[in-house]
Amino acid sequence: MGIGLALGHFVPEVGETLRAMEVGGVSIPIAIGLLVMMYPPLAKVRYDKTGDITRDRRLMAVSLVLNWLVGPALMFTLAWVFLPDAPEYRTGLIIVGLARCIAMVLIWNDLACGDREAAAVLVAVNSIFQVLMFGALGWFYLQILPGWLGLTTTSAEFSFWAIVTSVLVFLGVPLLGGALSRILGEHAKSREWYETHFLPRISPLALIGLLYTIVLLFSLQGGRILSSPLSVALLAVPLTLYFILMFALGLGASRVAGLNYARATTVAFTAAGNNFELAIAVAIGTFGPLSGQALAGTIGPLIEVPVLIALVYIMKWIGPRLFPNDSTLPHHIHASSQETP
């Protein structure tokens, strides 16, 4: 993040070059980073297990309620509580709350040893709901609900095709690549070869892609972020609260529903994560690249990345305490929790 901010500030030509390399509103360099980042987790998925996951009604119900009822409502509430006199930033945050996770959540889930198959299924389900519901929910939370509550309304129209494009690029391509890798690898060699030789070789690409993408995101908006420190501070509080509360609600609801460590981890991170690429694209397309709405979306990853990395460590620490003797709890996590300081 620091390197990206420095590049955006001291070498503004980097941002101009990135903006010039867009096709259909999608930044090609950023898209490449996201594809590289998402491919290894999706290549690790056992797609033959997805049927069992979709039949887990507790998992699906908890995730859908958190993502499409609780998440947008919570962000709407936080935006109005903390930004009542900043309509542009408030609207930007509400748009962020509507853009559910489809990208970096796979990395956070993998780092915390969540259920990869469940994460892939939930991300796919969120993507379908996103295409179907984003515009309708935007209309409801930006126009209808404020009117009912006697609040100032905001007029906004969302491009259906912008949402479809984002989903296809940032989920469809790596999902197809991951599925084909497993099918072809296991067919040409064996499952043992695929999981003991191929996967270890491509796994580092996830971290490389993540770091590369973060550098580009912050170099693209570095000048605006550094020139608006007060805006960052105003937006940081509701965003931080949102991530922590959604994670805690996801973990708590999963525990009550009787889910194991791996699936509770997946539910918590898919509830807390957001699709900032889509939120930024929608904000820019609707309100313009220099709008407060676009700035709110841009600041989102600045807060999300460190908060969710911290939550990865918290999950590893709290996991053995919430899920003692759970068979899905990784041995190294369970063992570390038993060490005496």
Side-chain angles (χ1 to χ4, degrees), residues 273-287:
N274 288 82
N275 181 4
F276 284 102
E277 297 78 25
L278 175 60
I280 293 170
V282 169
I284 290 175
T286 305
F287 301 101

Side-chain angles (χ1 to χ4, degrees), residues 193-194 196-205:
W193 173 88
Y194 182 82
T196 60
H197 290 81
F198 181 73
L199 290 182
R201 291 182 179 179
I202 66 168
S203 290
L205 291 176

Side-chain angles (χ1 to χ4, degrees), residues 1 108 214 218 300-313:
M1 289 189 291
W108 313 135
I214 290 173
F218 287 96
L302 178 68
I303 310 302
E304 181 190 41
V305 171
V307 170
L308 290 191
I309 287 177
L311 289 174
V312 167
Y313 284 94

Side-chain angles (χ1 to χ4, degrees), residues 7 9 45 76 110-111 117 139 166 176 234 239 249 261 314 320 329 333 337 340:
L7 280 174
H9 181 71
V45 170
F76 175 88
D110 218 37
L111 291 174
E117 288 73 30
W139 171 72
S166 177
L176 179 63
L234 286 173
L239 280 168
L249 288 170
Y261 169 86
I314 290 173
L329 189 68
I333 294 178
S337 71
T340 302

